């Protein structure tokens, strides 16, 4: 995805100059799920075709970002829905291949729905058929009846696009039911945060939104275009938010007062959490362990695959040894190996981190980031 497309974090990873490797929430989650998946995404940087759901998430995130560019009184559902068309037109102009990918997926889903008789994709209205049926008192010839009983040809992909865009508008309706954007001013949107832990572990990620109250309290807000997780999966959902909270603790010396996940799918739901400093420092040790494991895997070239439910939709399954595939030769990660070498010769570095960077910690933003509904933060 081109870096200029609103909210396009994966594009930025591919298009920008490679920076020193860093740990992001999504790449850390990748490594926990499957080290080989992490390698394919962060080191090999193998392309992945965007799904319709993921691109819809990017679209909705970009609309919510731009919504706060408007004066408070104009942040109403009608203006937000108008922005859907504006942002989508920009994406279509800058990345027509993404539009083609979405339309291809919608066509496949429509074909699958026609085959099994399900209603997996919204069926567009057929105005001409409706008009014929609504003509009162008109005699219908036998051949017309036979023709009417024939299955309606599947719509062209372009005819499916309005329904897909309408589904994005529906998510925005849910947002307005959960929050009134006229009542506050966020401090930052799509905020890039970069820092380095005392152990040398570099962190990098994007916040959807950062709010600051009148007393200086921080609230991290993240939009999710899917449904809220089950209670057993809440810890996984909070992993990303604790990552951001720890980064802000390092950068600002303040524990965020609230972590807020806003789920826009299936009627909408909010999940809030109040972190504590001790908890975030314990979480820091988890990130340090993940980073140490990544460095060791790079040293040996051994990124082990781990089978699980995610394999069913993994874009790289054909290359995975766990599924009789053969990955490409490990290309190595020169930037990470440079830090490994420096670590070995720098006594100030702990065994779980890389050598400290000479650049100061920074918070920069707003910037386009956050691949949402299935996307990734800046990772390497």
């Amino acid at each position: 995805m081109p870096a200029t497309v609103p909210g396009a974090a994966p594009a930025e990873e591919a298009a920008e100059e490679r920076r020193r490797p860093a740990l992001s929430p999504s790449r850390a989650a990748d490594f926990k799920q499957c080290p080989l998946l992490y390698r394919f995404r962060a080191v090999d940087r193998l392309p992945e075709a965007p799904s319709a759901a993921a691109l819809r998430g990017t679209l909705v995130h970009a609309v919510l970002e731009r919504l706060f560019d408007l004066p408070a009184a104009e942040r109403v559902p009608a203006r937000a829905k108008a922005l859907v068309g504006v942002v989508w037109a920009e994406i279509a102009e800058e990345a027509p291949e993404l539009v083609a990918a979405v339309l291809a997926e919608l066509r496949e889903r429509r074909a699958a729905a026609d085959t099994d008789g399900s209603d997996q994709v919204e069926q567009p209205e057929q105005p001409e058929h409706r008009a014929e049926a609504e003509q009162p008192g008109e005699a219908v010839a036998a051949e017309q009846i036979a023709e009417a009983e024939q299955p309606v040809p599947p719509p062209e992909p372009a005819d499916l696009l309005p329904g897909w865009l309408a589904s994005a508008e529906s998510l925005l309706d849910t947002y307005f039911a959960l929050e009134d954007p006229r009542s506050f001013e966020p401090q930052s949107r799509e905020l890039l945060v970069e820092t380095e832990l005392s152990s040398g572990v570099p962190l990098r990620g994007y916040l959807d939104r950062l709010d600051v109250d009148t007393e200086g309290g921080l609230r991290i807000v993240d939009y999710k275009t899917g449904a809220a997780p089950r209670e057993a999966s809440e810890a996984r959902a909070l992993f990303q938010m604790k990552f951001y909270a720890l980064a802000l603790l390092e950068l600002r010396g303040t524990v965020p007062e609230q972590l807020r996940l806003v789920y826009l799918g299936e009627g909408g739901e909010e999940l809030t959490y109040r972190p504590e400093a001790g908890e975030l420092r314990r979480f820091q040790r988890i990130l340090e362990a993940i980073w140490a494991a990544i460095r060791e895997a790079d040293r040996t070239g051994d990124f082990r695959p781990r089978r699980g439910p995610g394999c069913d939709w993994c874009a790289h399954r054909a290359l995975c040894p766990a599924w009789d595939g053969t990955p490409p030769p490990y290309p190595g990660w020169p930037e990470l190996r440079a830090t490994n070498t420096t670590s070995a010769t720098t006594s100030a570095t702990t065994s779980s981190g890389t050598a400290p960077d000479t650049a100061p910690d920074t918070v920069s933003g707003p910037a386009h980031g956050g691949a949402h509904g299935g996307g990734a933060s800046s990772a390497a």
Side-chain angles (χ1 to χ4, degrees), residues 324-349:
D324 298 324
T326 302
Y330 182 55
W333 205 351
E335 303 97 323
L336 184 57
R337 293 189 178 182
T339 61
N340 285 347
T341 302
T342 306
S343 295
T345 58
T346 305
S347 59
T349 304

Side-chain angles (χ1 to χ4, degrees), residues 41-116:
R41 285 178 168 171
V43 186
D44 297 87
R45 300 197 174 196
L46 300 181
E48 296 183 19
S51 69
L55 191 55
R56 182 176 63 179
T58 295
L59 174 62
V60 170
H61 277 78
V63 169
L64 290 175
E65 180 187 359
R66 293 199 188 181
L67 185 67
F68 287 98
D69 289 334
L70 300 174
E74 297 181 22
R75 298 170 195 162
V76 295
R79 291 299 303 273
K81 291 180 180 181
L83 285 171
V84 169
V86 172
V87 174
W88 179 248
E90 293 176 3
I91 294 175
E93 180 179 357
E94 298 177 21
E97 70 280 4
L98 297 182
V99 179
V102 168
L103 293 178
E105 180 179 336
L106 294 178
R107 169 180 270 176
E108 290 175 3
R109 289 164 55 189
R110 176 72 269 171
D114 291 340
T115 300
D116 61 20

Side-chain angles (χ1 to χ4, degrees), residues 90-283:
E90 293 176 3
I91 294 175
E93 180 179 357
E94 298 177 21
E97 70 280 4
L98 297 182
V99 179
V102 168
L103 293 178
E105 180 179 336
L106 294 178
R107 169 180 270 176
E108 290 175 3
R109 289 164 55 189
R110 176 72 269 171
D114 291 340
T115 300
D116 61 20
S118 64
D119 190 20
Q120 297 177 21
V121 178
E122 296 87 357
Q123 175 66 48
E125 290 185 340
Q126 303 293 330
E128 64 281 4
H129 293 287
R130 186 181 65 247
E132 290 173 358
E134 289 174 352
Q135 294 176 5
E138 182 177 342
V140 182
E143 61 269 18
Q144 291 177 299
I145 296 176
E147 180 180 355
E149 291 176 347
Q150 295 299 316
V152 176
E156 290 299 313
D159 297 331
L160 294 171
L161 189 58
W164 181 79
L165 291 173
S167 70
E169 295 179 359
S170 177
L171 295 176
L172 292 171
D173 284 334
T174 302
Y175 168 75
F176 280 95
L178 295 172
E179 183 174 76
D180 183 359
R182 298 171 297 178
S183 63
F184 64 94
E185 292 291 341
Q187 184 183 82
S188 301
R189 291 160 284 139
E190 296 296 338
L191 176 67
L192 169 63
V193 292
E194 293 187 277
T195 188
E196 188 174 272
L197 300 176
S198 58
S199 58
V201 178
L203 305 182
R204 184 184 301 140
Y206 288 88
L207 307 181
D208 283 350
R209 199 177 85 207
L210 181 65
D211 301 337
V212 182
D213 62 26
T214 56
E215 298 179 355
L218 305 179
R219 178 174 70 175
I220 299 172
V221 180
D222 193 76
Y223 309 119
K224 301 293 185 185
T225 51
R230 298 177 180 177
E231 186 175 351
S233 302
E234 286 184 1
R236 184 185 307 172
L238 285 172
F239 181 93
Q240 174 188 19
M241 303 301 279
K242 290 180 180 179
F243 184 104
Y244 296 144
L246 176 61
L248 286 180
L249 175 58
E250 288 289 312
L251 289 164
R252 302 194 179 190
T254 301
V255 176
E257 292 189 358
Q258 187 181 86
L259 312 179
R260 181 167 173 248
L261 287 155
V262 181
Y263 290 92
L264 304 180
E266 295 186 9
E269 191 173 337
E270 294 177 296
L271 175 63
T272 60
Y273 189 80
R274 292 186 177 274
E276 298 179 353
E279 175 187 17
L280 294 180
R281 291 308 178 191
R282 291 190 294 273
F283 181 75

